[in-house]
Amino acid sequence: NGDVQLGTMPDPTKLGLLGKNFHLHETGSVIGDGTLFLNATDDPMNWYIYQSPQLNNLTVQKSVDVLGDSSHYDVTVNGTYRHEDGTVNLGPHDLKIENTGSFTRLAGTYQATTGYLIQRSTAFDQGVGGGNFEIPNFRISVMNPFVANNAANADSFKVTKRIDLANGGYNQF
């Protein structure tokens, strides 16, 4: 319980979690300008969420399984979300990138049963050179035009189960 404060600019703190299990409650968010790194020595990391926690900045460096004590929770990232490698298995849970945040993927992919990657930010960069990847369930819910990285050499992604254009009139593909 309680917040983890990862510093403020100009000296934000970086916190790397290398263990097998990580528990985060809604009343225990990760705040501040610093970044939480999920980099389990023995991946995949078991990330247990309770209620719907929030983080400011999150970097996934190895595989992570999102688990919880309920059939569905949201994990909200309000700042920078960066996926450097590994598989993020959402299971039934949603990973929400808020309109104040950004999504950057360098490598890795996604798995889920019913959980969604929810993109509420217009900042979506699927990467270059990390290989094509899959998102089982993808929801675009932005109030400004959503444009994925359209560079000639950008990695492509495929939605394998469900796509939801929550504000479809604002999205451009």
Side-chain angles (χ1 to χ4, degrees):
N1 254 343
D3 293 332
V4 175
Q5 171 64 263
L6 293 181
T8 57
M9 291 304 215
D11 296 313
T13 303
K14 296 176 181 175
L15 176 61
L17 300 181
L18 306 176
K20 184 68 176 172
N21 299 303
F22 171 47
H23 296 259
L24 185 63
H25 293 260
E26 179 178 36
T27 57
S29 296
V30 181
I31 61 175
D33 295 324
T35 302
L36 178 65
F37 291 85
L38 302 183
N39 189 8
T41 302
D42 178 22
D43 66 327
M45 174 182 280
N46 297 317
W47 183 8
Y48 295 94
I49 58 172
Y50 305 93
Q51 294 91 33
S52 292
Q54 296 194 27
L55 300 96
N56 275 3
N57 301 304
L58 175 65
T59 296
V60 175
Q61 295 179 306
K62 291 189 180 172
S63 294
V64 175
D65 290 340
V66 181
L67 308 166
D69 65 349
S70 173
S71 61
H72 178 262
Y73 289 130
D74 293 337
V75 174
T76 301
V77 178
N78 294 307
T80 301
Y81 172 77
R82 185 175 168 97
H83 187 175
E84 295 182 353
D85 203 5
T87 299
V88 176
N89 183 351
L90 297 172
H93 309 290
D94 295 340
L95 173 61
K96 185 187 306 179
I97 312 303
E98 274 299 335
N99 59 353
T100 54
S102 63
F103 175 97
T104 301
R105 179 202 159 267
L106 302 179
T109 194
Y110 294 84
Q111 294 177 350
T113 52
T114 56
Y116 275 83
L117 172 60
I118 301 173
Q119 182 69 21
R120 295 193 52 166
S121 167
T122 59
F124 185 87
D125 183 356
Q126 70 270 27
V128 173
N132 300 333
F133 68 106
E134 296 180 349
I135 302 171
N137 307 304
F138 188 44
R139 178 174 296 137
I140 300 170
S141 179
V142 297
M143 294 304 295
N144 293 302
F146 170 84
V147 181
N149 181 347
N150 62 358
N153 58 346
D155 297 335
S156 64
F157 65 95
K158 176 172 63 173
V159 178
T160 59
K161 292 182 182 178
R162 294 182 294 272
I163 187 165
D164 179 0
L165 302 178
N167 291 312
Y170 293 98
N171 301 314
Q172 302 171 6
F173 294 92

